Amino acid sequence: MEKTFIRILVIKMRFHGDMLLTTPVISTLKRNYPDAKIDMLLYQDTIPIISENPDINALYGISNKGTAAKAKITNFFSLVKTLRTNQYDLIVNLTDQWMIAVLVRLLNAKVKISQDFAHRQSAFWKKSFTHLAPFQGEHCVLRNLSALAPLGLTETCLETSMPYAPEHWERMRQQLDSFGVGDKYVVIQPTARQLFKCWDNDKFAQVIDSLQQRGYQVVLTSGPGADDLACVEDIAAQCAVRPVTGLAGKTRFPELGALIDHAVLFIGVDSAPGHIAAAVKTPVICLFGATDHVFWRPWTDDIVQFWAGNYQAMPPRSQLDRNKRYMSVIPAEDVIAATEKMLPPGEAL
């Protein structure tokens, strides 16, 4: 498809980590259409994680899940009105929510591409787009990029990205100074939105003890929720020397990106901060349970990944118990050994 696009809209409505995994699509479009203004439609609460991306012209937030029906309807038609005035000539849809077919029909772009979702094969959905792109690739990043196949692009960006402003790191450095943290520290985020993605608190404490005995300072981070903060406190209380917990629940996404960027190592579970670490090119140790560890792994080669399925058979998604800690089968000793491999003793403080 030989065509120059001036206004482009990319649509992706998923969680925070998913938004970072769409950044190669944004970067690829910008490389091939450097003069284009690229906008993005996403859930309102996921805007902060890509708010500093310079390749994105504007971010438009659609109502989050759980929003009252009346507010959703008001938000939807307000968005349609705004997006129509932008006069897009290319729409790239990476999401499967049924309402997107309605929205896309109300926009006048000449080229409307969507990924070809197996469960969206109705005539209404399919005729809402000018092109349907088959999925390709085993990882989410490659699957996202496959949506651009109808464009026949010559340059592809395979890296995720999470830019942040200098002031975000300045604030984090000031906070670290106040807690007595030097230049070489490890960030650990033990929390996730769902229990089945979590590891045991006592095992995190063992890993922290090992790191701190070797001279590395550990900074624990988390979301602001009560359960997350309780998890962090429980882990800290089990450590021989308390790690730094003062930043838990208090960092906005760009600040968390800056904090992880300057760390010597990131350790976490299947959640957004692991994708942040990959995007800012910090070495990663990541633990996965009964989820797709190939499709969702942090997109980096500088990683040691543990999958509970290598220790014990994992159930299919249809039989998943969301209240079970599947990662409990991963021994702390194995994770400690990985930290020793990634952080040689000579690099400690």
Side-chain angles (χ1 to χ4, degrees), residues 93-224:
N93 174 50
L94 306 173
T95 200
D96 62 349
Q97 283 87 336
W98 67 267
M99 72 180 75
I100 294 304
V102 178
L103 183 145
V104 168
R105 282 175 172 262
L106 295 173
L107 303 180
N108 295 321
K110 291 183 179 179
V111 180
K112 303 176 181 180
I113 302 172
S114 177
Q115 294 182 299
D116 194 4
F117 300 99
H119 59 293
R120 295 296 183 207
Q121 295 296 309
S122 69
F124 183 84
W125 176 275
K126 296 175 78 168
K127 291 181 179 180
S128 299
F129 304 93
T130 61
H131 299 76
L132 294 173
F135 288 107
Q136 296 179 4
E138 291 186 339
H139 191 275
C140 183
V141 164
L142 300 177
R143 292 278 294 268
N144 286 336
L145 284 168
S146 68
L148 303 180
L151 299 174
L153 303 180
T154 56
E155 291 188 59
T156 301
C157 176
L158 290 172
E159 294 183 348
T160 58
S161 62
M162 188 179 173
Y164 55 85
E167 55 264 29
H168 295 134
W169 169 237
E170 290 169 7
R171 180 178 182 276
M172 287 297 94
R173 184 63 266 176
Q174 290 172 359
Q175 291 290 311
L176 292 171
D177 288 342
S178 71
F179 295 121
V181 178
D183 291 336
K184 291 187 176 180
Y185 59 89
V186 176
V187 172
I188 297 180
Q189 178 134 342
T191 58
R193 289 183 301 107
Q194 296 164 305
L195 186 63
F196 73 90
K197 292 186 176 184
C198 296
W199 199 33
D200 300 318
N201 290 354
D202 64 315
K203 292 177 181 175
F204 269 119
Q206 292 176 52
V207 173
I208 293 168
D209 283 345
S210 173
L211 286 165
Q212 296 194 143
Q213 287 166 8
R214 285 152 50 205
Y216 292 97
Q217 294 175 287
V218 174
V219 178
L220 280 174
T221 59
S222 75

Side-chain angles (χ1 to χ4, degrees), residues 256-292:
L256 183 60
L259 179 69
I260 293 174
D261 186 16
H262 288 79
V264 295
L265 177 67
F266 172 83
I267 303 174
V269 296
D270 177 17
S271 61
H275 298 298
I276 292 175
V280 298
K281 298 178 175 56
T282 293
V284 179
I285 293 177
C286 191
L287 291 80
F288 274 71
T291 48
D292 191 335

